Amino acid sequence: PTQTPGGGGGATPSSPRAPPPTTRDHHDVDDLLFVPPDLEAAVKLEGLVDPDDLAFADAFIDDVAGDILFGDGGMLGDAGGVAPGPGSGANGNGGDGGNGGNGGNGGAIYFEADSSINSLVGFRKKVHHRADPGGNGGGKKMQGSIGADRTVLVPPGTIVRDAKTGRTLCEMFAHGHREMVLPGGRGGRGNASFKTAKNKAPQIAENGEEGMEKWVELELKLVADVGIIGVPNAGKSTLLANVSNAKPKIADYPFTTIVPNLGVVERDFERMVFADIPGLLEGASDGVGLGFEFLRHVKRTRVLVHVLDCTSEDVLEEYDAIRNELFLFDEEVGDKPELIALNKVDASDEAAERALELQTVFEERGLNVHVTSALTGAGVGELITAVKDIWASLPAIDYEAEAAERAAKKLARPADGKSLDEFTVTDTPYAFIIEGAAIERFVQMTNWDYFESFKRFARVLQMSGIEKAVNDAGAGEGDRVIIGKYEFEWSGDRREKTLFDSWRAKMDEKPAGTTQQGSRHWPH
C-alpha cells in the first residue's frame, strides 16, 4: 500500500526493518564465566597452579566478559503506555469523545551499589533486566500508570560500560550509590492532547515510545584502602591472614591465590580494608600470568604494601620488575605511597642476613622498609602501624561529590532536545534511508490505525524539509524509504483521497477480528 502525503512524497509502513545480525551469542554461559586467559595454560604446561583451584575462580567473578542486556523502558520495547483515542470506551480506547488521557512513562533502569554483594557471579545466568512498561491512558483524561523502575544491585567498585562504544556509563563507588543507566520511554499522548478550538474530538492518538535497549559490560575494581602486592609465593596471603580474620588459601607453591582476598584490619580505633592481590609477574601489564585481570584492583587502593621474599636471590630484580609493571599499567598506581615488607626472615639465617642488607639498600632509595615474618608475626605490628599512619595522612576521597557530579548530568532519551529538521538522507541501492533521532521517534510513536496520523505524518515531512531532501536525492514513484524500523513507498500524488485509499488498504490488510481505531468514513 502507498501513502501519498500532500507534499509530494511519503508512504505507509509496510514491514519493520529486521534488526542487524549479532556476531556473538549473548546467552553463552561460557563467555560469562571469568577465567584468566593464561590460567589454564599455566596449569597444563607449567604446573604452577593446583588444578583444584580452578573451581575457586567460580566464586569470584570481577569481569563479565559477555555482554549483558539491561532492559527497555517497557517490556518488549513498549516503554510508554499507548494513549487512548476517541470512541465508545471499548477495546482500550478513551471514552467521552475528546477526553482520552495520556499513557504513562515506562520505568527506568538503575544501578545501585550494595555492600552485601562482593562479586559479579550473579550475572552469569541472569543477563536480561527489564523495567515495566507504562500503563495505557483511559477516558475522562485519565493518565496511564508510570512503569515501575528496575534496580540492578552490584558490588561497590563496579564500572558499567556500553558494550558497543566502550564508554563508561557509571561507576559505583560506595554502598547506596545509585545511578540511572537507561531512562524509560515516553508515554503516548491521548486525543485530548490534540484538541483545538476547531477540532473538539480529534481522531488521533500516539503509541508509547519504545524503551531503550543496551548491552553493557561490568567490571569490578575492589574498593580497598591497602593493596598487598608482590611476586607469587612471597607471603602476601600469610600476611593478610596474620593481620585480619581473612582466611585466604595458603600453600607452598606459586599462584596459590587466584582471586583477590579482602580483610579488615583495626589499628588505633581505625578500620582499614586490606586487599591481597594475586601474584604479579614481569610482563603483567601486557597480560602475562594473571596480568591486568588483577592489576586493576590495585588502582582503587590508596597505599601499597610490597611484600618481598628474602629467600630469593633476586629480590631487587623482582622488586624493580613489579614496580616497572605498575608504572606501565598506570602511572597513578606507580605513584601511590608504598611500604616494603622484607618477608620470610624466619626461613633461614641467610634470608635474615639478606633482609638486613636489603633494608639498607631500600632506605638509601628513600623507601619505608620493614623486616617482617608474616608466619611468626615478627615486625608485622610495626608494619601495620606505619601503614595506618600513612593512610590516615592522605586526604579522604569524596566519593559522594564525584557521584553527585555524574548525577547532575541528566540522562536523556536519544530524541530529547532534538528537532525534526535534524536528519540525514542516504541513497543506498536498496532504499533511501532517513536518519534522525527526532523523526525516528515520531514515526515509531505514530499510531498508523488513524487516518489523521497519515495526514499528520505528511505535514511533518513537508514542514521538516524531509520531503524536499528526499526528492532532491532523486527519489521517484514507488521507491523505498526507510525511517527507523519502518519502510515506506515514496509517491508524488498529493491528493487526500489517494492518501485515504492508501490508509484504507492498510486497514484491510489486518487479520479478521483485529480491533480497528480511527476514522471509519471519509470525508468527515
Side-chain angles (χ1 to χ4, degrees), residues 28-40 53-66 119-125 218-220 258-260 278 289-297:
D28 188 352
V29 176
D30 291 337
D31 286 345
L32 302 182
L33 171 61
F34 171 76
V35 178
D38 297 334
L39 188 56
E40 294 190 25
D53 286 349
L54 284 174
F56 292 99
D58 208 22
F60 181 92
I61 294 182
D62 65 349
D63 185 10
V64 182
S119 170
L120 299 177
V121 66
F123 295 97
R124 287 186 56 205
K125 294 184 179 180
L218 304 183
E219 178 185 348
L220 174 59
I258 61 174
V259 297
L290 299 179
F292 45 73
E293 298 296 345
F294 293 116
L295 267 173
R296 58 168 159 253
H297 296 297

Side-chain angles (χ1 to χ4, degrees), residues 77 80 146 189 200 270 281 299 306 382 469:
I146 297 176
R189 291 177 293 176
K200 301 294 186 179
E270 296 280 358
L281 297 174
K299 195 170 183 178
H306 199 147
E382 292 79 1

Side-chain angles (χ1 to χ4, degrees), residues 15-92:
S15 60
R17 183 173 52 180
T22 181
T23 57
R24 66 181 300 174
D25 182 6
H26 295 292
H27 302 275
D28 188 352
V29 176
D30 291 337
D31 286 345
L32 302 182
L33 171 61
F34 171 76
V35 178
D38 297 334
L39 188 56
E40 294 190 25
V43 175
K44 297 176 183 177
L45 302 180
E46 301 177 17
L48 294 177
V49 184
D50 185 347
D52 294 337
D53 286 349
L54 284 174
F56 292 99
D58 208 22
F60 181 92
I61 294 182
D62 65 349
D63 185 10
V64 182
D67 296 335
I68 299 179
L69 173 68
F70 288 92
D72 313 348
M75 184 65 73
L76 302 179
D78 277 336
V82 179
S88 62
N91 300 321

